[in-house]
Amino acid sequence: MNNDDVVNMTQPPARPVRGTARIAVAGLALAGAAWAARAVWHIRLAVAGMPASGPIDQGGGQHREPTALEDSYHFVSSLGEVATVLCAAAFLNWLWRVRDNARAFSGERARYVWPWMYVGWIVPIMNLWVPRGIVVDIHRASAPGQRLPSVVNWWWGLWLAGMLGGVGLIYADDTDDVIGRAYTDVWQLLVADAAVIGAAVAAVLVVRTLTKVQQDRLDGTSQAVTASASAGPVAGG
């Protein structure tokens, strides 16, 4: 028994991925729609202009009552945060499945051990390349010799722009501060919004591309096994 036989015996077989891919796409669509709604509210706030009473944070620990538009933005922002969490859960669930399949296809241990599937997105510096590296490794194992789809780089570039833009996916300001920015520098918010929405769209294409690569390979294996089973009795006769 050689090493490949040992790996094949210990590694679970690849599993269908279409179901988890559909859930991931739905999550990404929800998150993209939520951030599009945020962008609409940013524009509405900019058009309305800052009230004569000034910003919500009056300084010295004093806050004025928010307007109806500002209050509705708090609601939209909260919905966006919930949608982002749901999207992350759905995307990671899909990523786990295709990662396991990639390992089953290649018979090799993944370059990034399992904790990096989570902490790779949040550990400073490492989060600049680890998640992309995971996706690249999955594609390499699933489609040996094939060129990495350009949409992976588009997705990652847009994700970084949204994450590092200072007003996108990760920012230190609270909601009231973001409202203040909408009154004074709305273009910064809209650039970050566009990057996040673009990253969501590109991520949908990444999910669909890698899912097709793996599902085609699974379907091809299944057809080969069926053909072999059908030919068996004939050869034995």
Side-chain angles (χ1 to χ4, degrees), residues 44-196:
R44 291 183 63 189
L45 287 165
V47 171
M50 185 179 296
S53 53
I56 296 178
D57 186 353
Q58 300 282 291
Q62 299 297 315
H63 293 75
R64 64 168 172 78
E65 286 294 318
T67 66
L69 181 58
E70 292 168 344
D71 206 31
S72 67
Y73 178 77
H74 276 268
F75 178 71
V76 170
S77 180
S78 296
L79 285 182
E81 291 172 359
V82 172
T84 301
V85 171
L86 293 175
C87 172
F91 184 81
L92 286 175
N93 183 50
W94 168 82
L95 196 62
W96 266 109
R97 176 65 62 87
V98 293
R99 179 179 179 271
D100 288 345
N101 283 354
R103 184 177 177 186
F105 291 146
S106 68
E108 299 176 356
R109 186 178 297 277
R111 178 166 51 139
Y112 296 103
V113 295
W114 73 265
W116 286 110
M117 291 287 289
Y118 298 112
V119 300
W121 299 86
I122 58 176
V123 174
I125 306 301
M126 299 297 290
N127 61 359
L128 298 179
W129 72 79
V130 168
R132 179 186 177 275
I134 292 172
V135 172
V136 169
D137 289 351
I138 290 170
H139 181 268
R140 183 180 296 116
S142 303
Q146 291 189 23
R147 185 176 182 181
L148 182 72
S150 60
V151 70
V152 172
N153 291 327
W154 278 104
W155 158 67
W156 192 241
L158 289 166
W159 168 265
L160 291 179
M163 182 178 68
L164 302 176
V167 287
L169 288 162
I170 299 176
Y171 50 84
D173 295 345
D174 62 21
T175 304
D176 289 342
D177 290 329
V178 174
I179 290 173
R181 290 191 180 193
Y183 290 136
T184 59
D185 297 300
V186 71
W187 67 270
Q188 294 181 356
L189 293 173
L190 294 179
V191 168
D193 291 337
V196 174

